[in-house]
């Protein structure tokens, strides 16, 4: 009686919750023509991304009749969502991944391998920028993804502050960078700002400077070798900007987001910043764009033995196709569309990133001097991050170790070569054992 | 009882400290929500130099805040209703009957509180996916999946507290109801439940707050349609910027109804705890 | 075979819809208490116990990114995962151990302070005074605030150069250096205390609430009797309030202990995915070891060890506290 009533009330609640809770929509019937697309957050907000992408998706639907359901996934969630999709087999048809994740995700076997024949279907290997295509998976294996947005590091500097300090151009060597930095450092002003509390940023710089010192973090057979002497020197060189040369505000040790460094430059609290192409963000941060210049990250004046001419890693976003998609043809059609020249021009212009297909650079939008610098870096002096399955562990371990060393340096505890070595050995051990 | 002078001084001192400790972050939240982004990123100023309500406008378009809010309300609300309902039955069994396995049940349920969430997050996720594949009941990515997950988070404490509360209600009242022709369930619904309102409200508040704030499971088990606030608020920090003023404004907006509800019901909470948990 | 003190209840012969009647008939043989427990048991099994057993199973597999797509292909690892995390001669073992000790210290500091503040607040508010209701309401706000909102606000306040904390401690009170000498809170040694402060801020209202409720159960005449015996305020607190609160405190300590020890959200929101090593709590460490690196066998082994530890501590605590209770 009463129990029955209550039970049906509970049942009703449950049903109501179920009905209200049918999210997702991946499994909708008659969805084989429809594509689900997870985009990473490239713009200033999720909403901004939707505004940028939706017109392109509409155009795609008009061309092909294939509807694309867009979900913009924030960075904090993206890797976990991909993990969930991989484990369960329930995921999108097409998705964006950070290009440094390529080899890790390739190892799961969840993504459609872009064999040569498949690459042909999306326009062919030769259309893509070589370095970007190299950052799509382990060497010798078919790419797990294709490039979508390109990025590279450059050295942003404040022309006005340089002029005031009597420096006539950006530093050409690392030694000059330190020298200029010292000239630019005075009360309330620092030569350089670093995202020293940001794990992945630290890892990126370790890899760039590591290459300049001749370090390879993984042996050809995949064995990690993080604690080599060149690697120690590279980390030391980066750390010394704050600790020895004192051209970086120790407060930077807790900078975990780009915004703070951008703002330091915009407000004249720092004169230089090594970052990916970010003109739009500088503008948002209130930078006087007339004062903003960009140059390649400098190389050492006297390169040590084994040094490679690297001023950036191949940064960017890749596009992957889920292996168990119901609509392989449609997914590849979409991949082709997203990497077609007009779409590349439109999207990379909107996001301030670099096209990954060579044709797109003919567009007037990519003729400015700044873009030329980045384009040149990306196509000639950029090296991919290690394309090994443990790449994300590598970034986490070495980046965290550097973050901690910066914390020590900022607190006034000196970090010498021996202690750098010690920490890199630990990271190495963890990496070797965890795989 | 009379109290020495030092106690009244200690009271002023300690309560003053606690009030300050509690208030400072709340003030930081409010003041920052009323500043333009550039001011929030700069040095801390107690009084906003440029007041603006723009963050309160922008929060709705930077992320789909309204959707997340509705999701959180549905998920937390449903989890609360179900958790309390299920806990009432279980607590009644535990408090009114002697049966084989009673202790086993109590111990097992309470010990689930010890499980590190990390340990069963991935397996649970897989189980949800398999249930979905074999029965068609979508648990992964749906609100339903989150609802039943969250309700079990608050269930042990709810059962334990309600059992304590029910035990404080004289059994004679049940007996009287049974004489009047009610079964045990009739007695539960007619006598025990109405007499336990404060305890039930206290448990409901607890269940709601547990579901409302959970981050870890929500981040893996929801998609953009079902995302809850606890996860969604993180989207104010994008790759290039942290919209501190909007984070604060959004935090305030979503907190106000919850805090208000909580405070309206707080008298029940204290009364419920007094008779239930702490007896 | 059941030991019911009450007979299994007669379910009223209510002629409901046929299907329900059939279900009811089938369930009739089952004693009522079990029926009442059924939903709770079923859900706990589904959400907690079965996944936990699966998790234990995972800890014996070499479940890396190469196999997560198809678990059945994952090779067995025997006790390798356990051997690996418990080998304190390696960096990984040492990191786990360090994280464990950080968690122990964090739990001890946070629980003790939350309890202390809760007790102080509740006891000092026993007596009626003007504004008491308002103050009590204020004190409960941190508990009602969404977790993310509360912790992110603290992260904002703890920023070294632009945060409110250094502004108060340095500029206003002069307790710490300013400008280039200002202390860091989100990195380095202080990060541990930053974490404790946030945790206490969020948890002490709960202790306050529970103790306040406990105080209402202490009969007034106990205080009156003590006063007649000439006991002062402090004496009354020691000999009436504290003993009467003991059962409440026992439960409160256990609940706070479990929450704090398993705390994931506070450090995750405060520091992000990579906390400073001084504040690297074990749950975050496990998260990093499994979700960042996709080595779930290893992560599960760590979780199982953590669970064993918590079971041991809780069992020990309950044994000791219940023995004491019978003595008192």
């Amino acid at each position: 009686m009463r129990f029955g009533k209550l039970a049906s009330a509970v049942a009703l609640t449950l049903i109501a919750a179920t009905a209200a809770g049918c999210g997702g929509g991946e499994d909708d019937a008659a969805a084989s023509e429809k594509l689900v697309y997870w985009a990473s957050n490239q713009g200033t907000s999720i909403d901004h991304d939707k505004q940028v992408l939706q017109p392109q998706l509409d155009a795609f639907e008009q061309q092909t009749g294939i509807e694309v359901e867009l979900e913009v996934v924030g960075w904090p969630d993206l890797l976990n969502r991909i993990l969930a999709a991989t484990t369960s087999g329930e995921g999108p048809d097409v998705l964006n991944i950070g290009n440094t994740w390529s080899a890790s995700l390739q190892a799961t076997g969840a993504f459609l391998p872009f064999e040569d024949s498949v690459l042909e279907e999306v326009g062919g290997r030769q259309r893509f920028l070589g370095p970007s295509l190299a950052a799509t998976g382990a060497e010798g294996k078919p790419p797990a993804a294709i490039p979508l947005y390109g990025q590279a590091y450059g050295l942003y500097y404040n022309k006005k502050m340089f002029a005031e300090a009597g420096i006539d151009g950006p530093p050409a060597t690392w030694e000059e960078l330190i020298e200029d930095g010292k000239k630019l450092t005075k009360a309330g002003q620092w030569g350089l700002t670093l995202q020293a509390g940001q794990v992945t940023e630290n890892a990126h710089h370790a890899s760039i400077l590591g290459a300049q010192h001749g370090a390879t973090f993984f042996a050809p057979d995949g064995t990690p070798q993080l604690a080599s002497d060149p690697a120690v020197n590279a980390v030391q060189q980066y750390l010394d900007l704050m600790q020895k040369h004192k051209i970086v505000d120790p407060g930077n040790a807790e900078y975990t987001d780009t915004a703070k460094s951008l703002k330091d430059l915009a407000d004249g609290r720092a004169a230089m910043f090594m970052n990916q192409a970010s003109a739009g963000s500088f503008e948002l941060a209130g930078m006087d764009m007339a004062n903003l210049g960009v140059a390649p990250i400098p190389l050492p004046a006297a390169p040590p033995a084994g040094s490679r001419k690297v001023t950036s890693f191949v940064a960017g976003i890749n596009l992957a196709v889920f292996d168990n998609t119901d609509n392989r043809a449609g997914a590849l059609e979409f991949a082709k569309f997203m990497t077609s020249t007009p779409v590349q021009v439109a999207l990379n212009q909107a996001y301030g990133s670099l096209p990954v297909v060579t044709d797109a650079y003919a567009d007037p939008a990519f003729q400015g001097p700044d873009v030329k610098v980045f384009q040149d870096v990306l196509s000639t002096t950029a090296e991919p991050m290690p394309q090994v399955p443990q790449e994300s562990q590598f970034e986490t371990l070495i980046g965290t170790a550097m973050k901690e060393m910066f914390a020590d340096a900022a607190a006034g505890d000196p970090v010498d070569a021996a202690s750098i070595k010690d920490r890199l050995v630990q990271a190495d051990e963890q990496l070797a054992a965890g795989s | 009882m009379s109290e020495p002078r030092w106690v009244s001084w200690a009271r002023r001192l300690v309560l003053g400290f606690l009030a300050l400790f509690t208030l400072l972050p709340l003030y930081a939240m409010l003041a920052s929500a009323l500043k333009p982004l550039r001011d929030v990123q700069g040095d801390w100023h107690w009084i906003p130099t440029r007041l603006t309500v723009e963050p309160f406008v922008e929060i709705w378009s930077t992320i789909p805040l309204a959707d997340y809010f509705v999701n959180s309300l549905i998920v937390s609300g449903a989890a609360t209703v179900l958790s309390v309902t299920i806990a009432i039955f279980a607590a009644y069994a535990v408090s009114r009957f002697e049966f084989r396995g009673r202790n086993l049940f109590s111990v097992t349920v309470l010990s689930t509180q010890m499980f590190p969430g990390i340990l069963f997050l991935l397996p649970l996720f897989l189980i949800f996916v398999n249930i979905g594949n074999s029965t068609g009941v979508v648990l992964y990515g749906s609100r339903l999946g989150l609802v039943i997950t969250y309700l079990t988070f608050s269930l042990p404490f709810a059962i334990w507290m309600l059992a304590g509360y029910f035990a404080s209600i004289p059994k004679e009242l049940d007996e009287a109801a049974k004489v009047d022709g009610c079964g045990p369930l009739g007695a539960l619904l007619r006598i025990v439940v109405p007499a336990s309102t404060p305890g039930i409200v206290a448990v409901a508040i607890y269940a709601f707050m547990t579901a409302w704030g959970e981050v870890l499971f929500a981040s893996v088990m929801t998609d953009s349609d079902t995302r809850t606030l606890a996860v969604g608020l993180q989207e104010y920090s994008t790759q290039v910027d942290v919209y501190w003023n909007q984070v604060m404004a959004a935090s305030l907006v979503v907190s106000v109804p919850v805090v208000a509800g909580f405070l309206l019901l707080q008298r029940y909470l204290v009364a419920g705890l007094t008779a239930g948990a702490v007896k | 075979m059941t030991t019911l003190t009450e007979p299994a209840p007669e379910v009223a012969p209510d002629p409901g819809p046929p299907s329900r009647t059939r279900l009811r008939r089938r369930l009739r043989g089952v004693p009522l208490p079990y029926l009442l427990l059924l939903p709770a048991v079923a859900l706990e099994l589904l959400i907690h116990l079965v996944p936990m057993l699966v998790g234990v199973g995972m800890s014996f597999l070499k479940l890396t990114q190469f196999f997560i797509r198809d678990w059945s292909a994952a090779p067995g690892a025997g006790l390798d995962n356990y051997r690996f995390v418990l080998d304190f001669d390696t960096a990984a073992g040492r990191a786990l151990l360090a994280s464990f000790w950080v968690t122990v210290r964090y739990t001890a500091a946070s629980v003790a302070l939350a309890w202390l503040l809760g007790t102080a607040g509740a006891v000092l508010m026993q007596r009626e005074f003007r504004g008491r209701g308002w103050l009590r309401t204020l004190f409960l706000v941190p508990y009602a605030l969404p977790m993310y909102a509360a912790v992110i606000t603290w992260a904002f306040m703890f920023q070294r150069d632009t945060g409110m904390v250094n502004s108060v401690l340095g500029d206003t009170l002069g307790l710490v250096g300013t400008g280039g000498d200002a202390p860091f809170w989100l990195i380095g040694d202080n990060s541990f205390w930053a974490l404790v402060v946030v945790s206490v801020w969020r948890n002490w209202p709960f202790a306050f609430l529970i103790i306040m409720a406990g105080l209402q159960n202490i009969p007034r005449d106990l205080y009156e009797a003590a006063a007649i015996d000439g006991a002062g305020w402090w004496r009354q607190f020691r000999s009436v309030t504290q003993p009467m609160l003991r059962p409440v405190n026992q439960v409160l300590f256990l609940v706070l202990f479990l929450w704090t020890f398993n705390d994931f959200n506070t450090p995750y929101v405060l520091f992000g995915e990579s906390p400073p090593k001084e504040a690297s709590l074990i749950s975050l460490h496990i998260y990093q070891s499994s979700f960042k690196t996709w080595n779930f066998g290893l992560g599960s082994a760590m979780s199982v060890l953590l669970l064993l530890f918590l079971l041991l501590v809780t069992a020990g605590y309950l044994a000791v506290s219940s023995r004491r209770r019978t003595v008192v």
Side-chain angles (χ1 to χ4, degrees), chain B residues 60-279:
Chain B
W60 305 100
S61 59
T62 309
I63 69 168
L65 182 64
D67 296 348
Y68 297 166
F69 190 66
V70 170
N71 282 338
S72 271
L73 275 183
I74 293 177
V75 168
S76 307
T80 303
V81 170
L82 290 173
S83 172
V84 169
T85 311
I86 293 169
I88 287 175
F89 289 130
Y92 189 61
V94 173
S95 68
R96 285 295 195 271
F97 299 92
E98 285 289 337
F99 57 92
R100 200 188 174 91
R102 192 176 83 152
N103 281 332
L104 179 70
F105 172 80
S106 309
V107 170
T108 314
V109 165
L110 271 182
S111 67
T112 59
Q113 288 280 289
M114 263 166 247
F115 296 173
I118 293 282
L119 176 60
F120 61 95
L121 171 58
L122 196 71
L124 178 63
F125 165 74
L126 279 179
I127 290 170
F128 276 9
V129 169
N130 283 328
I131 290 178
N133 290 344
S134 55
T135 66
V137 180
V138 183
L139 293 175
Y140 162 56
S142 76
R143 298 192 192 99
L144 177 64
L146 219 50
V147 166
I148 63 174
T149 306
Y150 286 167
L151 84 87
T152 62
F153 286 0
S154 48
L155 202 51
F157 189 72
I159 293 174
W160 173 72
M161 207 178 116
L162 282 180
Y165 207 105
F166 291 171
S168 72
I169 295 167
K171 279 193 179 175
E172 293 73 38
L173 288 177
D174 299 30
E175 302 300 331
K178 277 179 214 160
V179 171
D180 289 348
C182 289
L185 287 170
L188 168 64
L189 295 177
R190 273 206 207 158
I191 308 295
V192 180
V193 168
S196 310
T197 314
I200 291 172
V201 173
V203 165
I205 293 175
Y206 172 78
F208 190 88
M209 300 309 299
T210 304
W212 188 255
E214 205 283 330
V215 173
L216 182 60
F217 283 69
S219 73
V220 176
M221 302 253 195
T222 59
D223 58 26
S224 62
D225 293 330
T226 53
R227 183 145 313 146
T228 57
L229 276 174
V231 183
L233 285 178
Q234 301 181 22
E235 287 167 8
Y236 286 109
S237 55
T238 65
Q239 226 182 347
V240 290
D241 229 331
V242 180
Y243 299 101
W244 283 113
N245 54 349
Q246 292 190 44
V247 174
M248 302 297 160
S251 297
L252 275 178
V253 168
V254 305
S255 303
V256 163
V258 179
V259 172
F262 184 91
L263 297 176
L264 276 177
L265 293 171
Q266 61 158 315
R267 111 186 38 228
Y268 287 101
L269 192 61
V270 177
L273 288 167
T274 305
V278 304
K279 201 132 200 174

Side-chain angles (χ1 to χ4, degrees), chain B residues 122, chain C residues 58 61-68 70-71 74-75 81 294-298 300:
Chain B
L122 196 71
Chain C
M58 277 161 58
L61 290 178
K62 193 172 166 54
L63 199 57
T64 60
Q65 56 205 337
F66 296 96
F67 303 107
I68 51 165
D70 180 14
W71 290 30
N81 289 327
W294 293 23
N295 192 335
F296 290 97
L298 215 54
S300 299

Side-chain angles (χ1 to χ4, degrees), chain A residues 64-400:
Chain A
T64 60
I66 302 173
E67 188 192 339
V68 179
E69 190 185 304
L70 169 71
E71 178 179 344
V72 182
V73 183
W75 284 102
D77 284 348
L78 188 56
L79 198 57
N80 279 352
R81 293 286 299 282
I82 296 176
L83 167 75
T86 307
T87 328
S88 64
E90 294 210 8
D93 300 284
V94 185
L95 74 161
N96 289 8
I97 59 172
N99 71 354
T100 58
W101 304 345
S102 297
S104 300
L105 294 174
Q106 185 177 40
T108 66
F111 293 162
L112 180 76
F114 281 83
E115 315 269 0
D116 279 345
S117 59
V118 184
L119 265 179
E120 221 40 64
E121 283 183 63
V122 297
R125 178 181 286 276
Q126 69 292 340
R127 288 188 62 237
F128 293 97
L129 214 58
S132 292
L133 197 61
T136 53
E139 215 176 310
K141 284 190 187 163
I146 54 170
L148 179 63
Y149 309 124
Q151 264 294 7
Y153 271 85
L155 175 74
Y156 278 104
Y157 64 101
N158 187 323
K159 291 178 188 164
K160 192 169 148 225
M161 290 166 80
F162 267 57
E164 280 167 6
I167 310 168
D168 45 8
T173 64
W174 194 264
E175 287 71 16
E176 272 179 46
L177 175 112
I178 292 165
E179 205 182 305
D180 291 350
K182 285 180 179 164
K183 285 185 203 157
L184 289 158
T185 302
K186 55 187 185 194
Q189 181 180 316
W190 297 87
L192 190 73
T193 169
L194 302 179
Q195 293 180 65
Q198 226 277 342
V199 172
T200 49
E201 285 297 318
N202 281 329
H204 295 161
H205 287 288
S207 121
I208 296 169
L209 295 179
Q212 292 188 5
H213 282 268
T216 37
F217 293 102
F218 290 87
D221 68 347
T223 321
Q225 42 189 30
L226 270 53
S228 66
D229 287 341
V232 172
N233 293 338
V235 171
Q236 173 107 56
Q237 179 185 337
Y238 192 59
L239 212 59
D240 277 350
L241 294 173
M242 177 188 288
Q243 145 174 296
K244 183 172 158 202
H245 308 302
K246 302 197 189 304
I247 58 174
V248 173
D249 181 2
N252 286 189
E254 69 169 29
Y255 278 22
T256 50
D257 54 82
T258 328
K260 289 192 165 168
S261 292
L262 295 174
K263 199 165 146 46
D264 277 357
L265 218 61
D267 294 352
R269 274 202 296 266
M272 294 182 272
F273 178 39
M274 295 180 277
N275 196 36
Q276 303 186 11
S278 44
S281 313
F282 268 115
E283 214 165 347
L284 278 179
M287 180 83 201
D288 180 356
M289 298 307 277
N291 290 336
L292 189 68
V294 68
I297 290 178
L299 289 153
S307 168
R308 303 193 294 281
K309 200 178 168 216
V310 169
T311 66
S312 174
F313 79 100
V314 180
I317 304 298
N318 288 348
L319 190 80
V321 172
F322 230 69
D323 196 37
N324 56 1
T325 171
D326 300 332
N327 188 358
R328 181 178 175 281
L332 288 175
E333 192 71 37
F334 182 62
K336 185 179 180 183
F337 173 82
M338 290 295 277
T339 51
S340 67
T341 306
V343 178
Q344 278 287 304
V345 169
L347 291 180
N348 283 299
Q349 201 185 348
Y351 288 136
S353 48
L354 303 167
V356 293
V357 295
T358 39
D359 290 353
Y361 285 98
D363 192 275
F366 302 102
Q367 299 301 322
D370 291 5
V371 179
K372 284 281 184 202
V373 170
F374 283 111
Q375 182 199 345
D376 197 44
V377 167
L378 181 59
S379 31
T380 60
T381 59
E383 187 180 270
M385 291 292 277
Q387 295 290 313
V388 292
Q390 311 102 309
E391 203 279 336
S392 72
Q393 281 142 286
F394 162 72
E395 281 196 25
T396 305
L397 287 168
I398 198 167
T400 307

Side-chain angles (χ1 to χ4, degrees), chain C residues 106-268:
Chain C
Y106 164 73
T107 308
S110 170
V111 171
L113 285 172
W115 176 81
L116 198 69
L117 294 188
T119 305
V123 168
L124 291 173
M125 283 174 72
Q126 244 178 321
R127 162 186 274 228
E128 184 68 53
F129 58 87
R130 208 150 51 102
R132 187 174 74 153
W134 284 103
L135 212 51
R136 187 172 74 177
T137 303
L138 172 69
F139 287 168
L140 292 179
V141 169
Y143 180 63
L145 215 57
M147 187 284 307
Y148 179 83
V151 182
I152 201 72
T153 306
W154 276 103
F156 178 70
M157 291 163 55
F158 273 130
Q159 297 179 102
R160 179 211 192 210
D161 297 329
T162 55
M164 182 209 257
V165 171
N166 274 347
S167 171
V168 171
L169 295 179
D171 301 336
T172 313
L173 299 175
L175 293 176
V176 299
T178 55
D181 297 324
F184 289 96
W185 296 101
L186 295 172
I187 55 172
D189 296 341
N190 290 338
S191 58
F192 175 79
W193 290 107
L195 186 63
V196 170
V197 166
V198 179
S199 163
V200 169
W201 192 80
R202 298 211 333 105
N203 279 340
W204 85 267
F206 183 77
F208 168 73
L209 192 65
I210 298 280
I211 295 172
M212 196 164 58
L215 287 175
Q216 304 205 346
N217 276 336
I218 303 179
R220 291 224 151 261
D221 37 346
L222 283 182
Y223 287 110
E224 280 154 22
I228 291 168
D229 289 349
W233 189 91
W234 183 247
R235 192 66 215 269
Q236 289 181 23
F237 174 73
R238 296 279 300 141
S239 57
V240 179
T241 312
Q242 272 307 330
M244 289 300 286
L245 281 181
R246 183 164 295 157
V248 176
N249 281 331
Q250 272 170 5
V251 174
L252 183 62
F253 268 119
L254 188 61
V255 170
L256 285 177
F257 165 74
L258 290 175
W259 281 354
T260 319
F261 207 94
N262 278 329
D263 194 4
F264 173 85
N265 293 332
T266 315
Y268 182 78

